[in-house]
Amino acid sequence: MSDLLTFGPVAPGAALAWAPLPRGAVRLDPTGDLGAWQERNALTTLPHAIAQLEESGTLANLRRARDRTPTPFRGYHFADSDVYKTCEAVAWEIGRSGTRAFDGFLDDVVALLRAVQRPDGYLSSWTQGSGLDGGAVVEPFSDPRWGHELYCFGHLIQAGVALDRAAGRDDLLGVARATADLLVRRRAERGVTDLDGHPEIETALVELFRHTGDRAYLDLAGEMVAARGHGTLGPDRLGPHYFQDHAPVADSLEATGHAVRQLYLNAGVEDVLAEGAGPESWADAMTAQWRTAHDQKMYVTGAMGSRHFDESFGDAYELPPDRAYAETCASIADLQWTYRMLLREPRREHGDAIERALHNSVRSAVSTSGTEFFYSNPLHLREGHREEENAPSRRTPWYHCACCPPNIARLVASLDTYVATASADELAVHLLAAGEIDVPAHLGSGTLTIQTAYPADGALALRLAGTLRPGATVAVRVPGWAEGVEADDDGFRRFDDAALARGVTITLRMDVVARHAHPRVDAVRGCVALTRGPLVYCVEQADVVGHSVEDVRLALDAAFEVLPGLAPSGLPALRTRASAVVVDVAEPYPAQVPVERREPVELTAVPYADWGNRAPGPMRVWVWVPVG
Amino acid sequence: MSDLLTFGPVAPGAALAWAPLPRGAVRLDPTGDLGAWQERNALTTLPHAIAQLEESGTLANLRRARDRTPTPFRGYHFADSDVYKTCEAVAWEIGRSGTRAFDGFLDDVVALLRAVQRPDGYLSSWTQGSGLDGGAVVEPFSDPRWGHELYCFGHLIQAGVALDRAAGRDDLLGVARATADLLVRRRAERGVTDLDGHPEIETALVELFRHTGDRAYLDLAGEMVAARGHGTLGPDRLGPHYFQDHAPVADSLEATGHAVRQLYLNAGVEDVLAEGAGPESWADAMTAQWRTAHDQKMYVTGAMGSRHFDESFGDAYELPPDRAYAETCASIADLQWTYRMLLREPRREHGDAIERALHNSVRSAVSTSGTEFFYSNPLHLREGHREEENAPSRRTPWYHCACCPPNIARLVASLDTYVATASADELAVHLLAAGEIDVPAHLGSGTLTIQTAYPADGALALRLAGTLRPGATVAVRVPGWAEGVEADDDGFRRFDDAALARGVTITLRMDVVARHAHPRVDAVRGCVALTRGPLVYCVEQADVVGHSVEDVRLALDAAFEVLPGLAPSGLPALRTRASAVVVDVAEPYPAQVPVERREPVELTAVPYADWGNRAPGPMRVWVWVPVG
């Protein structure tokens, strides 16, 4: 267990050749792009999240359950999970920076949770507080589809593990483990496992197994995965696929239903597989599903889950940019799943997908101030858009369902642990970021330094102060978007001891590329999305003078000027000459192609993640390129 | 009152120059297109609907409330309205054909409603039956936003009026009037009117006023319209615009929120205006909203309300064909509103819109058998689509929320009353259909016969057996889609006595026209929808051999062969040479335009309304026309 204390959210899987590096082995440069995000997360997002737990009544729900106060419950019944995710975020930040600023918060929360937790381990401010205000009493475990109790336990377990690993503090772990032990006992008594409509606990239980060595948790997670897809959760108006209960995992070749549920489940499946506790058929299905999900159901920003109705994946290629639900948590969940895929089978595409989501859909979800958030991340805001909480024109400080903000916080606080992995022979760098990486002892000694302004610039300078043992290599992911850069067949460029000691430079050409979509993505037919390196760009109304951003037309051969530092985030903006049209359509569905009169316009594009940081207004990622 | 007994769903408004014709004045030819639909409705849809009221538990809910049975309530809490709509449909069918087949059903229903109705007039199987199965007791009028009690009263009132008008039977009217009188008394006692989250009762109350002459009902309707838009209904997670409570009617220039609610409300506003009981500002707002709704928020099929999430209108030009919610009831509600607009201001566009909805979105909602229905009417079914109740691949016999099937039944049973209107000087024909129209006495005498195979064919032969008084004319709508047909500036072609006595022929050229959308309708950019006359066509997988319908490409100059009688409905099919593509896309968002290899394919298109009557499979209304 002492070894495991050194890891981040994911400890090595027994059945895998590849492993995460220990926590602290990667130190992101606080002046670099990702490192600065971690700093901002610590300084602004975390204190904000803690304040919002108070403001939103989330902590009050727990106090109410403790004190038996006849006040109303506030917010969603699964809001305890927001407390747990915030605790997990705080834990990783303590591990990263050694801050003591949050100790008081943690002391209060742990004491509160201990006071609410029943002797048998059960803990839920919702069911335990039900009936206090005269409403109906809700029995524990009475609503597996919608009750979210195991979902909350899962986040509690992840927080408990995090705090023990990162701060050497096991009080929250004790609370968490008691909930897991309750589920183990219930399994023994009932002969079948509990199952939750919202997967999350599966991956948490595997991590608890890794952390404690108690195989009962792994067995429970494996049983939960195996139970899924047999109608176990019973009928529901949203259909069994909403809960991924429509088909066994081995047959789930298509991502479907509620996106976050599907993607958290998949992370759990990978974790069970990583411990050698799942059949090959699960791995095959996951590999196939990963491919179709990322080829047919992923937005260019890395976002997933297009439908508002049930927060679900749409059909293949159903990717409307305007009504994109594109929940922040779905991108984070996909990142977690994909990272586990990468541990099982380290391929460039996995790192590419993580990079795409991180720099676009996840990053768009938080303001440059670090204190305002998107829950839904559309790729097009129409002129005259009527704003709603989940169809926003601007980020808001918190949400009625506040799953996303603390999810961002916990991800960013642990971002360093996603940068690199190691096998018996190799250190592999997946996320390109300025920072230092300690060489794992079995591969050599010393520190690899990466200097770069990435993603503003494509030059990466690597230098090793230390040595690699003979035969060991450092592999650096060469992104799929990078043209003409030397790489091995698997998309990595490899360096040996001598080269790294001298210092090597990788230069990724940061051309502005107009990207197309598959022709079946009807909603963006004939349009392009501008990208530069890993960044997707968008056009905001604030940058188009005299015309609606809806009426901008781009030429396929347009030349772009790169304007360093000019976007709200400090990343480069792009500028080009384009045209805007005045459209004359006399009837809704004319027999002739609508006549467009074109006028020249100067077009400035900013990184998609930067949108909505200035005056709210229409925005487009996909811009029409008229042909002919 | 005796005069009013002769009208259909809408009696003349006191403030209007134009009026509906009396019920029975229009007799649709049972071998013609619309007349055959009325026959099918009577023979298959009505008996089916009555059987489904039993099957679904809707009638059982009322018996349960009568008998105080401790069984569970079934279906939605506003399902009483399905009983009322079915009664209304039966009433119009009795009026049309004189059938006695439904007398027993009506006797039973009226007796049942009388037994359930409280002495004060209140009637709801939901609230009156609440608590019977141990659940919570729901107090009457306790949930104005979601309770739907006034919505149900509205349908009851319309059914009561219909049965009195069409069958001279006032027992249901008595039940209905008691609910209206309860609301009038509550208004007097409370000093403010009740208001319902779901508009419907407004138009019903105006009709009850017309039918009874009791002005209290009109006043109540006017107050309900005036109360809307002041936050009267209180806060809700879906926002006040969901209930059209976000802005006063005079300021509601944009159709928004729940589509059926918006459109029923608008019909009510027009009815109040028609009685001279609303300000000019309401009329101005309605005229403006009608324009934007039909220019910016209407599908080419006439459907409205694109969003599944809250069954609502989207933003302007947010009209995805695949995730089109396009509820059947929204099309029917738009038809009802537009018909009232046409009475206030008879313009070609109004008749065009009614025709568009009737022949496409409404007609698609019922199978050729008359016994299966769509609730949602998408314009694109993707390959690999996962079917859900409201995202269907096929019509179903009934729905958990069964508002649409009986709504179709009552519309079709009264379709003859929407065909023509009259002013002091003119008889105006709006719907082009084979049948006979009695000349109103103030305009002359005799019968106008219209012979046509419309919409299969564009030739209409009109002959008057009788006379028009001097100066009186017959005006026939020349559809906006008809090219090169003589018409006055308002889109009508006018005939005098002499011409009609000789017989006149109007020939509408039924060219196949590839229609375009406004460029802001991103989801269909670069595509065309094939139309012929008023019919929108679609391509079904069943008619494309060897390729996916998703991969079909059409040439803008394609020539079409018209195949009479070949569609499932017996309407013409279209055939042309097109191409299908094999797409090679190696990555999700390539830097190059995806390469398409084209292969010739024979393409057959059938009327949109006919889709899904054969084997379920992918379908597209909008087909890509590659340029360049």
Side-chain angles (χ1 to χ4, degrees):
Chain A
M1 180 165 150
S2 59
D3 272 5
L4 289 161
L5 278 171
T6 66
F7 283 95
V10 185
L16 300 182
W18 288 87
L21 301 193
R23 199 177 39 70
V26 176
R27 294 170 298 282
L28 293 169
D29 181 343
T31 68
D33 184 71
L34 293 187
W37 193 0
Q38 287 199 309
E39 295 292 319
R40 195 162 62 248
N41 188 61
L43 289 173
T44 65
T45 307
L46 283 181
H48 174 83
I50 290 170
Q52 289 294 323
L53 291 178
E54 204 61 74
E55 181 99 1
S56 62
T58 308
L59 287 167
N61 287 337
L62 284 158
R63 291 192 201 104
R64 165 182 177 274
R66 177 191 64 194
D67 304 337
R68 315 298 301 158
T69 324
T71 49
F73 188 90
R74 289 176 60 192
Y76 272 101
H77 57 288
F78 47 81
D80 291 353
S81 59
D82 300 334
V83 177
Y84 305 146
K85 277 192 276 195
T86 305
C87 287
E88 186 189 338
V90 162
W92 299 130
E93 180 53 28
I94 292 172
R96 191 185 76 89
S97 67
T99 178
R100 308 297 302 258
F102 305 114
D103 288 4
F105 164 73
L106 290 171
D107 293 344
D108 289 350
V109 167
V110 175
L112 181 54
L113 295 173
R114 281 178 162 168
V116 176
Q117 190 168 40
R118 294 195 321 202
D120 69 353
Y122 185 83
L123 176 51
S124 161
S125 71
W126 167 242
T127 63
Q128 293 176 258
S130 66
L132 285 174
D133 55 351
V137 172
V138 181
E139 293 298 328
F141 304 115
S142 60
D143 186 1
R145 281 198 308 285
W146 292 101
H148 285 70
E149 288 144 301
L150 276 60
Y151 168 83
C152 289
F153 291 178
H155 279 300
L156 172 57
I157 291 165
Q158 290 178 330
V161 167
L163 203 57
D164 196 33
R165 284 185 183 168
R169 168 174 182 161
D170 68 1
D171 51 358
L172 188 61
L173 181 63
V175 175
R177 197 167 174 177
T179 66
D181 291 341
L182 170 62
L183 297 179
V184 170
R185 285 199 309 280
R186 282 175 55 88
R187 161 68 186 85
E189 289 161 12
R190 299 166 70 240
V192 293
T193 180
D194 288 292
L195 204 61
D196 197 289
H198 199 314
E200 212 287 327
I201 194 170
E202 297 81 357
T203 182
L205 283 171
V206 176
E207 209 57 42
L208 185 62
F209 154 67
R210 289 174 181 153
H211 194 74
T212 63
D214 186 342
R215 196 174 166 94
Y217 306 136
L218 174 62
D219 292 344
L220 196 59
E223 274 194 64
M224 286 176 177
V225 171
R228 219 149 196 113
H230 301 278
T232 315
L233 289 162
D236 189 273
R237 73 181 178 93
L238 295 178
H241 67 285
Y242 176 79
F243 309 96
Q244 292 76 45
D245 199 22
H246 62 298
V249 167
D251 301 330
S252 295
L253 307 185
E254 185 187 2
T256 190
H258 188 277
V260 180
R261 292 172 204 237
Q262 175 75 76
L263 296 163
Y264 276 162
L265 173 64
N266 295 357
V269 175
E270 288 297 332
D271 277 332
V272 173
L273 285 168
E275 297 303 329
E280 192 64 25
S281 60
W282 291 3
D284 293 344
M286 285 292 102
T287 300
Q289 191 190 119
W290 193 91
R291 192 71 264 160
T292 56
H294 291 81
D295 281 356
Q296 302 172 1
K297 300 195 176 189
M298 178 188 73
Y299 284 98
V300 68
T301 57
M304 288 187 165
S306 57
R307 294 184 181 173
H308 277 247
F309 176 68
D310 52 359
E311 310 187 305
S312 73
F313 284 102
D315 292 330
Y317 305 112
E318 181 192 319
L319 294 166
D322 51 352
R323 279 296 276 181
Y325 194 66
E327 185 183 339
T328 304
C329 285
S331 282
I332 293 173
D334 181 50
L335 188 153
Q336 293 179 350
W337 175 34
T338 300
Y339 179 66
R340 286 159 175 80
M341 291 286 293
L342 175 154
L343 287 169
R344 174 155 67 87
E345 192 182 349
R347 294 206 323 243
R348 163 163 70 184
E349 299 95 283
H350 298 136
D352 285 357
I354 291 174
E355 175 175 89
R356 185 192 291 265
L358 194 60
H359 283 294
N360 299 290
S361 59
V362 176
R363 192 155 173 163
S364 79
V366 56
S367 64
T368 52
S369 69
T371 56
E372 294 185 312
F373 308 92
F374 280 134
Y375 185 111
S376 173
N377 296 275
L379 285 76
H380 177 194
L381 196 80
R382 287 184 177 274
E383 189 175 286
H385 174 66
R386 176 177 296 279
E387 183 163 50
E388 295 166 21
E389 191 186 19
N390 289 333
S393 302
R394 66 192 85 194
R395 296 173 186 84
T396 61
W398 208 244
Y399 282 84
H400 190 59
C401 174
C403 51
C404 300
N407 217 359
I408 299 168
R410 70 177 184 142
L411 171 72
V412 176
S414 60
L415 211 47
D416 48 288
T417 68
Y418 293 92
V419 169
T421 59
S423 70
D425 309 310
E426 193 160 77
L427 172 67
V429 179
H430 305 283
L431 289 184
L432 308 182
E436 298 177 337
I437 305 176
D438 292 340
V439 175
H442 71 278
L443 293 176
S445 64
T447 298
L448 177 72
T449 301
I450 303 178
Q451 288 186 306
T452 182
Y454 193 88
D457 183 83
L460 294 109
L462 289 82
R463 184 178 293 273
L464 175 64
T467 54
L468 294 181
R469 71 156 174 74
T473 47
V474 168
V476 179
R477 176 180 61 92
V478 175
W481 54 260
E483 296 280 333
V485 181
E486 185 189 329
D488 295 335
D489 284 349
D490 63 353
F492 288 85
R493 181 149 167 205
R494 292 188 164 73
F495 303 100
D496 64 11
D497 189 62
L500 288 168
R502 284 194 307 274
V504 297
T505 299
I506 302 173
T507 303
L508 308 172
R509 274 183 52 193
M510 287 280 187
D511 296 332
V512 178
V513 178
R515 296 195 174 273
H516 303 261
H518 191 287
R520 287 198 186 179
V521 185
D522 297 82
V524 301
R525 186 185 301 107
C527 288
V528 294
L530 300 176
T531 61
R532 181 175 178 274
L535 301 179
V536 175
Y537 278 73
C538 69
V539 186
E540 287 191 275
Q541 189 60 62
D543 291 318
V544 180
V545 179
H547 286 279
S548 169
V549 70
E550 302 279 18
D551 295 331
V552 167
R553 304 285 184 264
L554 199 63
L556 201 50
D557 59 356
F560 292 89
E561 185 185 356
V562 177
L563 307 169
L566 270 206
S569 62
L571 287 166
L574 310 177
R575 190 169 292 163
T576 192
R577 303 293 300 173
S579 54
V581 298
V582 179
V583 185
D584 183 20
V585 182
E587 53 175 316
Y589 295 100
Q592 307 299 328
V593 179
V595 175
E596 299 190 342
R597 185 161 48 78
R598 295 193 193 172
E599 297 175 1
V601 69
E602 186 172 73
L603 179 150
T604 303
V606 297
Y608 167 72
D610 279 12
W611 87 277
N613 273 299
R614 295 173 293 176
M619 176 275 292
R620 291 187 74 105
V621 167
W622 291 95
V623 180
W624 194 1
V625 180
V627 178
Chain B
M1 181 167 149
S2 59
D3 273 5
L4 289 159
L5 277 172
T6 65
F7 283 95
V10 185
L16 300 181
W18 287 87
L21 301 194
R23 199 176 37 71
V26 176
R27 294 171 297 282
L28 293 169
D29 181 342
T31 69
D33 184 71
L34 294 187
W37 193 359
Q38 288 198 309
E39 295 293 318
R40 195 163 61 248
N41 188 62
L43 289 173
T44 64
T45 307
L46 283 182
H48 174 82
I50 290 170
Q52 288 294 323
L53 291 178
E54 204 60 75
E55 181 98 2
S56 62
T58 308
L59 287 167
N61 287 335
L62 283 158
R63 291 193 200 103
R64 165 184 177 272
R66 177 192 64 193
D67 303 336
R68 316 296 302 157
T69 324
T71 49
F73 187 91
R74 288 176 63 190
Y76 274 101
H77 57 289
F78 46 81
D80 290 354
S81 59
D82 300 335
V83 178
Y84 305 146
K85 277 191 280 196
T86 305
C87 287
E88 186 189 338
V90 163
W92 300 130
E93 181 53 28
I94 291 172
R96 190 184 78 89
S97 67
T99 178
R100 307 298 303 256
F102 306 113
D103 288 3
F105 164 73
L106 290 171
D107 292 344
D108 289 351
V109 167
V110 174
L112 180 55
L113 295 173
R114 281 178 162 166
V116 176
Q117 189 167 42
R118 294 194 321 200
D120 68 353
Y122 185 84
L123 175 51
S124 161
S125 72
W126 167 242
T127 63
Q128 293 175 256
S130 66
L132 286 174
D133 55 350
V137 172
V138 181
E139 293 298 327
F141 303 115
S142 59
D143 186 0
R145 280 198 307 286
W146 293 101
H148 286 68
E149 288 144 301
L150 276 60
Y151 167 83
C152 289
F153 292 179
H155 280 300
L156 172 56
I157 290 165
Q158 290 178 332
V161 167
L163 204 57
D164 196 32
R165 285 186 182 166
R169 168 174 182 160
D170 68 0
D171 51 358
L172 188 60
L173 181 64
V175 175
R177 197 167 175 177
T179 65
D181 291 341
L182 170 63
L183 297 179
V184 170
R185 285 199 308 279
R186 282 175 55 86
R187 161 67 187 86
E189 288 161 13
R190 299 166 70 240
V192 293
T193 180
D194 289 291
L195 204 62
D196 197 290
H198 200 314
E200 212 286 327
I201 194 170
E202 297 81 359
T203 184
L205 284 171
V206 176
E207 209 57 42
L208 186 61
F209 154 69
R210 289 174 181 152
H211 194 73
T212 62
D214 186 340
R215 197 176 165 92
Y217 305 137
L218 174 63
D219 292 343
L220 196 60
E223 274 194 64
M224 286 177 177
V225 171
R228 217 146 197 115
H230 300 278
T232 316
L233 289 162
D236 189 274
R237 73 182 180 92
L238 295 178
H241 66 285
Y242 176 79
F243 309 95
Q244 292 76 45
D245 199 23
H246 62 298
V249 166
D251 300 331
S252 295
L253 308 184
E254 185 187 1
T256 190
H258 188 279
V260 180
R261 292 172 203 237
Q262 175 76 75
L263 296 163
Y264 276 162
L265 173 64
N266 296 356
V269 176
E270 289 296 332
D271 277 332
V272 173
L273 284 168
E275 297 302 328
E280 192 64 24
S281 61
W282 290 3
D284 293 344
M286 285 292 102
T287 300
Q289 191 190 119
W290 192 90
R291 193 71 264 161
T292 57
H294 291 81
D295 280 357
Q296 302 172 1
K297 299 195 174 189
M298 178 188 73
Y299 284 99
V300 69
T301 56
M304 287 188 165
S306 56
R307 294 183 181 173
H308 277 247
F309 176 67
D310 51 0
E311 309 187 304
S312 74
F313 284 102
D315 293 330
Y317 305 112
E318 180 193 319
L319 294 166
D322 51 353
R323 279 295 276 181
Y325 194 66
E327 186 183 339
T328 304
C329 286
S331 282
I332 293 172
D334 182 51
L335 188 154
Q336 293 181 350
W337 175 33
T338 300
Y339 179 67
R340 286 159 175 80
M341 291 285 295
L342 176 155
L343 286 169
R344 174 156 67 87
E345 193 182 350
R347 293 207 323 243
R348 162 163 70 185
E349 300 95 282
H350 298 136
D352 284 358
I354 290 173
E355 174 175 271
R356 186 192 291 267
L358 194 60
H359 283 294
N360 298 290
S361 58
V362 176
R363 192 157 176 161
S364 80
V366 57
S367 64
T368 51
S369 69
T371 56
E372 295 186 311
F373 308 92
F374 280 134
Y375 185 113
S376 173
N377 296 276
L379 284 78
H380 176 195
L381 196 79
R382 287 186 177 274
E383 188 175 289
H385 174 65
R386 176 177 296 279
E387 183 163 48
E388 296 166 22
E389 191 186 20
N390 289 333
S393 302
R394 69 193 83 195
R395 297 175 185 81
T396 61
W398 207 243
Y399 282 85
H400 190 59
C401 174
C403 51
C404 300
N407 217 359
I408 299 168
R410 69 176 185 143
L411 172 73
V412 176
S414 59
L415 211 46
D416 48 287
T417 70
Y418 293 93
V419 169
T421 59
S423 69
D425 309 310
E426 191 160 79
L427 172 67
V429 179
H430 305 283
L431 290 184
L432 309 182
E436 297 176 338
I437 304 177
D438 291 340
V439 176
H442 71 279
L443 293 176
S445 64
T447 299
L448 177 72
T449 302
I450 303 177
Q451 288 186 306
T452 181
Y454 194 87
D457 182 81
L460 294 108
L462 289 80
R463 183 180 295 272
L464 175 63
T467 55
L468 292 183
R469 71 157 174 76
T473 47
V474 168
V476 179
R477 177 179 60 93
V478 175
W481 54 259
E483 296 281 333
V485 181
E486 183 190 330
D488 295 334
D489 284 349
D490 63 354
F492 288 85
R493 182 151 166 204
R494 292 188 163 74
F495 303 100
D496 64 12
D497 189 63
L500 289 168
R502 286 193 305 273
V504 298
T505 299
I506 302 173
T507 304
L508 307 172
R509 274 183 51 193
M510 288 278 186
D511 296 332
V512 177
V513 178
R515 297 196 172 271
H516 304 261
H518 191 287
R520 287 198 186 178
V521 185
D522 297 83
V524 301
R525 186 186 300 107
C527 287
V528 295
L530 300 176
T531 60
R532 181 176 178 272
L535 300 179
V536 175
Y537 277 73
C538 70
V539 185
E540 287 192 275
Q541 189 61 61
D543 290 318
V544 181
V545 178
H547 287 279
S548 169
V549 70
E550 302 279 18
D551 295 331
V552 167
R553 305 284 184 267
L554 200 61
L556 201 50
D557 59 356
F560 292 88
E561 184 186 357
V562 178
L563 308 169
L566 270 205
S569 62
L571 287 166
L574 310 178
R575 189 168 292 163
T576 191
R577 303 294 299 172
S579 53
V581 298
V582 178
V583 185
D584 183 20
V585 182
E587 52 175 316
Y589 295 99
Q592 307 299 329
V593 179
V595 174
E596 299 190 343
R597 185 161 49 79
R598 296 191 192 173
E599 297 175 359
V601 70
E602 185 173 75
L603 179 151
T604 303
V606 296
Y608 167 72
D610 279 12
W611 88 275
N613 273 298
R614 295 171 294 175
M619 176 276 292
R620 292 186 73 106
V621 167
W622 291 95
V623 180
W624 195 1
V625 180
V627 179

